[in-house]
Amino acid sequence: HTSRGVGHTAESSLRSYITIILEMSRNAALIGFAKRPEIQARLPGYRVRMGFGLHYGWAIECAIGSEHKIDASYLSPHVNLSARLESATKAYGVSMLLSGETLGLMTNKVKKLCRMVDRVTVKGSNAPMYLYTYDVPVLKSLGGDVPDDIDISNAKLDMDEYFEVMKPTTDDKFRSAWACAMQCYVGGSDGSTADWRECRRIMKQCLKKKPGDGPALKILEILTEHVGNDLDVVRPPGWPGYRELTEK
């Protein structure tokens, strides 16, 4: 593949995730299933949701098993990492997590629509990686801005048109403030310029603009885990600019 081809594939993958999430939210069969009395009695307010992890790397495609049962599979630490990202979506309160490796393949136009939510190491690797999310737009019937009957098929919208129509729920101003907060949280490649006091201040402003924002609540939780409620701590001793991702 050329770099352009891989980039298009990466953006197509992101587009697919966004589309799946939106289509699930307006699928009559899924909505009807979630509203069944026996389900609502046990899980009040339940609705069908999915989380997605998107990562870029190599994998071996193969058939594994025996003469009694054979499965097609992909074997790679990168496949495992995608699964860890999917699992971690619950901790950050988002529908999807993208690795920095994946985001790096996309055009600047699409990159600007995503926001970084953490810098972490994962089991089996000591190399820190950035995590990003895309704040998936919501249908008007559910309190968002997207028309309920919108056609977002490939036949209707090309890639540029799609991301113009399916803009994230956060605007440029919010994402700019968020980026500043994350710079204060990470503190550069070695964490030496971190300023968690300023990070906390900006995060609270972001929560006022977007109440209940999962990534903001998660970062504030991380700050508290490290320094408690001491608002005078600039950064915890030995902060390397990342943390170990332990969420499952």
Side-chain angles (χ1 to χ4, degrees):
H1 295 291
T2 64
S3 58
R4 180 180 179 183
V6 173
H8 181 78
T9 300
E11 292 185 0
S12 295
S13 299
L14 175 58
R15 174 177 182 164
S16 297
Y17 283 1
I18 296 170
T19 299
I20 290 170
I21 293 167
L22 183 134
E23 294 296 351
M24 285 178 58
S25 70
R26 64 180 178 182
N27 182 274
L30 288 178
I31 293 173
F33 172 80
K35 288 184 177 180
R36 292 176 61 175
E38 59 268 37
I39 292 178
Q40 289 296 320
R42 295 189 61 181
L43 302 168
Y46 172 80
R47 61 187 179 89
V48 179
R49 290 179 290 184
M50 291 181 66
F52 299 87
L54 186 57
H55 179 57
Y56 171 76
W58 60 265
I60 300 173
E61 181 182 27
C62 59
I64 58 176
S66 69
E67 60 182 10
H68 301 291
K69 186 178 187 296
I70 297 177
D71 293 317
S73 185
Y74 294 88
L75 304 179
S76 167
H78 300 289
V79 174
N80 297 338
L81 180 51
S82 296
R84 289 191 68 86
L85 295 185
E86 180 275 323
S87 181
T89 56
K90 296 184 286 291
Y92 291 92
V94 296
S95 299
M96 69 176 75
L97 285 173
L98 299 76
S99 67
E101 287 79 359
T102 303
L103 192 80
L105 300 172
M106 301 179 185
T107 60
N108 288 332
K109 181 178 180 180
V110 176
K111 289 178 182 177
K112 291 178 180 178
L113 299 178
C114 301
R115 57 171 169 149
M116 192 251 288
V117 297
D118 213 341
R119 186 172 183 238
V120 301
T121 56
V122 297
K123 185 178 180 180
S125 174
N126 293 323
M129 68 182 301
Y130 290 98
L131 302 183
Y132 295 83
T133 193
Y134 189 101
D135 298 296
V136 180
V138 179
L139 297 173
K140 286 186 176 180
S141 61
L142 298 175
D145 298 318
V146 179
D148 285 40
D149 59 351
I150 190 172
D151 182 354
I152 52 176
S153 64
N154 290 341
K156 184 69 174 180
L157 302 172
D158 63 25
M159 197 68 76
D160 287 338
E161 292 170 335
Y162 182 88
F163 284 106
E164 184 65 30
V165 170
M166 298 295 288
K167 290 181 178 179
T169 55
T170 51
D171 57 24
D172 292 341
K173 186 176 181 180
F174 179 95
R175 291 193 299 276
S176 178
W178 177 267
C180 290
M182 293 306 292
Q183 287 178 0
C184 293
Y185 163 65
V186 173
S189 61
D190 61 358
S192 61
T193 61
D195 185 344
W196 283 18
R197 292 177 302 184
E198 183 66 5
C199 173
R200 191 191 300 267
R201 184 187 69 80
I202 302 175
M203 283 293 173
K204 290 182 177 180
Q205 290 181 345
C206 288
L207 275 174
K208 289 181 180 179
K209 296 178 181 178
K210 195 172 187 290
D213 181 61
L217 292 173
K218 182 59 181 178
I219 295 299
L220 288 174
E221 176 187 312
I222 293 169
L223 301 188
T224 301
E225 287 177 355
H226 281 79
V227 302
N229 294 315
D230 190 344
L231 303 181
D232 293 325
V233 177
V234 175
R235 74 187 68 85
W239 169 248
Y242 57 87
R243 68 185 190 92
E244 182 181 0
L245 182 66
T246 57
E247 290 81 2
K248 296 181 179 181

